[in-house]
Amino acid sequence: MPSYRAPVQDVTFLLNHVFGIEKYGNLPGFSDLSAETLEAILAEGAKLCEEVLQPLNRVGDIEGCKRHEDGRVTTPKGFKAAYDAFAAGGWVGLSADPEYGGQGLPYTLGAIMNEFASSANMAFSMYPGLTMGAIAALNTHASDEIKRTYLPKMIEGPWTGTMNLTEPHCGTDLGLIKTRATRQPDGSFRITGTKIFISAGEHDLSDNIIHLVLARIEGAPEGVKGISLFVVPKFLVNPDGSLGARNPVACGAIEHKMGIHGNSTCVMNYDGATGWLVGEENRGLNAMFVMMNEARLGVAIQGLAQSEVAYQNAVAYARDRIQGRALTGAKEPTKAADPIIVHPDVRRTLLSIRAFNEAARALVLWTALKSDVAHRSEDAKARQEADDHLGLMTPVLKGVLTDRGFENAVAAQQMFGGHGYIEEWGMSQFVRDARIAMIYEGANGIQALDLVGRKLPRDGGRAVMSFFNEVQGFIKAGEGEAALKPLFGPLAQGLGHLQQATMWFMQNAMAKPDNAGAGSTDYMHLFGLVALGYMWAMQAKAAHAKLAAGANGDAAALETKLTLARVFMERLMPETGTRLARIAAGADAVMALPAEMF
């Protein structure tokens, strides 16, 4: 059976020694976060995920969710009790606004807990995860009345939330939405239409489900300029806050999926359901993007999370599985064979996964801290710089971490040989669950186009130039540290490749947009490699400094960090040259064949 241990030690190293969480003490939510409090939160979160959520992961995969004839949906055995424990622990409202019952702690802690929960049980984690996104959207754009009506119960946990975008004919191109909203005399709207692929659309975990629904008000402009956002509860809410009549919104079917079986992915039918406008008319995408951006970072974390849990189980197997002899002679001469972890190719695979995981975790936390600055700092310049970072890095994180996360889950499964293909070992579930992260919240090809077409030229390229300058400055500052030179050289080369690719787009994509389209995915991954390499350079510098100052019993862990940094620079970073070559090849060959010749 699979197992999982939350990487608390690695998170603590990143927060305390790489990013210096104490530097954020002037921000709301950080000031009360002492080292002891942080340690207690991480320990309790890890315990919940390891002992409550993880044992239910396989249960959810096998049982799935069940839709009953009356439209009710029941979740797998144990999910309801686990959700009650999750909510009772205050985890839903960890970083939510204290005005409505939240704890107001940093968003960064929510990102950490998201990784732990997604590794332990990805399908389960989506129920509270979507609620947190809905809370953020309502808190940013809803009226005070709507906030008072819905946020306290959502933050406390008795009510959950969803996002309803996709329709049978309409995925990424939201301008094609047909769901309509009819204005009512009392200021409410009647919502009619069908949404598909709605995660956590109907279930038995909470008393009420608060749907955020994109729809077009009758008479609104066509396309994305005519879309509005509405809050549509499963049960209407009485003036005193109690639940009233059932709203005519129902689950028409549960999607039969490749993975995440424990999450109820529903077809939702709105038959004149009562809803209320969130934000301004015809500006629904602006409001929904708050939730979508949080969801995209959450999905990036899912990619890391599945890579991490798959790695942990592959390592455990590689240490125990006896097969063949080491190329340099028997390592276990008293046994019939050696454990497969002695083989260089097994080690290459495992170390490549871990080198990715620890850099990806750093990139997530770096970006989560930027989110806290963007939303909590009183310094306008700091907020702008942090917001620039978020806009630039969100498509990189979502695309790269989920692509690589899936690849790593497959590579970890390979370590098991035939046993990896057998369901009881659990590796198949990690592969199947990881696959969806590349697709939902904007397929990764769309993330790449967003990066190249929107985020690079935004504000005259201010965000990307800031990133280039930061990495260059870090490399220059470390030139005198001989021990780090083998790491900084490959990073500098990778950064050079990224700058060349950026310049190539500037020179070749304006007149011929297909060049940008053909190279966008390679550019996204090139960017990701440089960002991950930067994270390793920062970690290596911190580890080296800590070793020099006295490791306090952490010498083995710190030396491991330095070795993993070498693995990344020697084994993964050279891919930047390949990515640059593909980008510079342009679109001519890609676009040459007529469609009928495919």
Side-chain angles (χ1 to χ4, degrees):
M1 290 291 291
S3 62
Y4 171 66
R5 294 284 293 177
V8 173
Q9 183 181 11
D10 194 39
V11 167
T12 303
F13 171 76
L14 290 169
L15 292 178
N16 291 332
H17 302 292
V18 179
F19 300 120
I21 193 171
E22 72 280 355
K23 295 185 299 185
Y24 299 85
N26 62 322
L27 299 180
F30 285 85
S31 54
D32 298 326
L33 193 63
S34 66
E36 294 76 16
T37 302
L38 175 61
E39 183 178 340
I41 291 171
L42 294 179
E44 285 302 309
K47 182 179 179 181
L48 175 67
C49 293
E50 293 167 1
E51 298 180 6
V52 178
L53 304 189
Q54 191 278 333
L56 296 174
N57 195 40
R58 182 158 168 75
V59 174
D61 189 52
I62 294 171
E63 291 187 11
C65 296
K66 182 178 180 181
R67 180 185 179 277
H68 301 271
E69 289 186 4
D70 60 2
R72 290 182 302 111
V73 171
T74 50
T75 52
K77 179 181 176 182
F79 270 46
K80 170 62 175 164
Y83 178 77
D84 290 344
F86 192 98
W91 298 106
V92 179
L94 189 68
S95 58
D97 191 341
E99 182 178 350
Y100 300 102
Q103 298 179 56
L105 289 168
Y107 169 76
T108 300
L109 289 186
I112 294 166
M113 185 61 180
N114 189 357
E115 185 200 334
F116 293 178
S118 295
S119 282
N121 193 327
M122 181 169 153
F124 174 91
S125 72
M126 294 168 66
Y127 293 101
L130 285 159
T131 303
M132 295 173 198
I135 289 168
L138 290 176
N139 195 47
T140 303
H141 289 284
S143 66
D144 289 342
E145 182 180 0
I146 287 177
K147 291 179 186 179
R148 288 192 299 269
T149 300
Y150 297 104
L151 287 183
K153 289 290 188 182
M154 295 174 75
I155 289 170
E156 182 186 353
W159 298 355
T160 54
T162 72
M163 56 191 298
N164 285 234
L165 289 77
T166 307
E167 299 183 4
H169 61 285
C170 166
T172 300
D173 190 354
L174 294 173
L176 301 177
I177 280 176
K178 293 181 179 178
T179 299
R180 66 182 186 276
T182 305
R183 203 181 307 272
Q184 300 299 299
D186 64 357
S188 67
F189 290 80
R190 296 291 184 194
I191 310 299
T192 302
T194 296
K195 299 289 185 176
I196 63 170
F197 306 158
I198 307 305
S199 301
E202 171 63 24
H203 54 79
D204 58 353
L205 302 185
S206 61
D207 299 330
N208 202 5
I209 303 174
I210 312 305
H211 301 288
L212 295 187
V213 184
L214 289 181
R216 193 182 307 280
I217 298 173
E218 292 184 339
E222 293 298 316
V224 295
K225 294 182 179 179
I227 297 173
S228 299
L229 180 65
F230 301 88
V231 58
V232 186
K234 174 181 174 180
F235 288 98
L236 299 175
V237 181
N238 294 322
D240 63 358
S242 63
L243 296 183
R246 175 69 188 261
N247 216 357
V249 50
C251 170
I254 293 180
E255 309 282 8
H256 297 281
K257 311 186 296 292
M258 177 179 174
I260 54 169
H261 296 152
N263 194 270
S264 54
T265 308
C266 301
V267 175
M268 300 298 297
N269 296 321
Y270 293 83
D271 188 16
T274 300
W276 289 267
L277 183 68
V278 175
E280 300 177 41
E281 289 187 20
N282 303 328
R283 292 183 60 81
L285 284 184
N286 286 24
M288 184 62 91
F289 265 119
V290 172
M291 188 173 186
M292 290 172 69
N293 285 334
E294 284 216 355
R296 284 172 177 170
L297 183 53
V299 171
I301 292 171
Q302 289 179 343
L304 162 61
Q306 293 306 292
S307 181
E308 173 66 29
V309 70
Y311 165 79
Q312 289 188 19
N313 283 275
V315 167
Y317 186 82
R319 287 174 176 154
D320 291 339
R321 176 65 169 173
I322 303 299
Q323 198 83 46
R325 287 295 187 190
L327 298 176
T328 54
K331 303 303 181 186
E332 299 279 355
T334 62
K335 297 182 180 179
D338 291 328
I340 64 172
I341 201 166
V342 306
H343 301 308
D345 195 59
V346 169
R347 286 171 163 255
R348 174 196 62 80
T349 300
L350 295 174
L351 286 173
S352 294
I353 298 172
R354 183 170 174 183
F356 166 84
N357 290 350
E358 295 192 14
R361 182 172 299 115
L363 189 57
V364 165
L365 292 188
W366 186 42
T367 303
L369 287 166
K370 295 287 189 182
S371 179
D372 278 316
V373 172
H375 294 103
R376 299 172 186 240
S377 178
E378 295 182 357
D379 185 331
K381 185 173 184 294
R383 289 199 309 272
Q384 176 201 289
E385 291 173 350
D387 189 64
D388 285 350
H389 174 97
L390 288 168
L392 181 68
M393 284 297 174
T394 296
V396 175
L397 280 159
K398 198 282 183 185
V400 174
L401 268 60
T402 60
D403 275 355
R404 292 275 186 176
F406 175 74
E407 291 173 12
N408 289 344
V410 172
Q413 182 189 37
Q414 185 76 8
M415 296 296 93
F416 286 68
H419 293 294
Y421 202 65
I422 304 300
E423 289 291 341
E424 67 189 76
W425 287 88
M427 301 306 289
S428 169
Q429 183 183 355
F430 301 144
V431 171
R432 289 184 285 104
D433 285 357
R435 186 65 183 88
I436 184 57
M438 302 162 70
I439 299 172
Y440 59 16
E441 300 308 332
N444 286 354
I446 298 298
Q447 302 301 322
L449 287 172
D450 178 48
L451 173 65
V452 170
R454 295 178 181 172
K455 300 305 171 59
L456 288 186
R458 181 182 173 187
D459 298 314
R462 185 175 67 202
V464 72
M465 292 307 300
S466 176
F467 175 76
F468 290 166
N469 291 336
E470 179 172 347
V471 179
Q472 283 176 325
F474 187 86
I475 294 170
K476 186 172 180 59
E479 285 178 349
E481 299 186 54
L484 299 177
K485 190 173 181 180
L487 307 179
F488 282 34
L491 176 59
Q493 184 178 48
L495 178 63
H497 290 157
L498 180 59
Q499 291 171 318
Q500 290 177 60
T502 306
M503 183 60 68
W504 192 90
F505 277 144
M506 292 175 63
Q507 296 171 344
N508 295 279
M510 292 291 289
K512 191 173 181 180
D514 282 343
N515 280 328
S520 59
T521 290
D522 282 300
Y523 185 87
M524 178 180 72
H525 279 279
L526 172 50
F527 204 119
L529 284 164
V530 174
L532 293 168
Y534 180 39
M535 294 299 98
W536 265 124
M538 293 177 71
Q539 291 183 79
K541 183 175 182 178
H544 189 263
K546 196 162 186 281
L547 280 167
N552 295 324
D554 293 334
L558 296 170
E559 292 289 355
T560 298
K561 279 286 183 187
L562 294 175
T563 299
L564 289 168
R566 283 180 54 203
V567 168
F568 188 92
M569 294 303 180
E570 293 174 6
R571 293 279 172 175
L572 279 72
M573 185 60 82
E575 187 185 319
T576 59
T578 301
R579 297 288 184 178
L580 174 61
R582 290 175 181 168
I583 292 165
D588 289 349
V590 171
M591 303 307 295
L593 286 181
E596 61 270 16
M597 296 305 294
F598 274 76

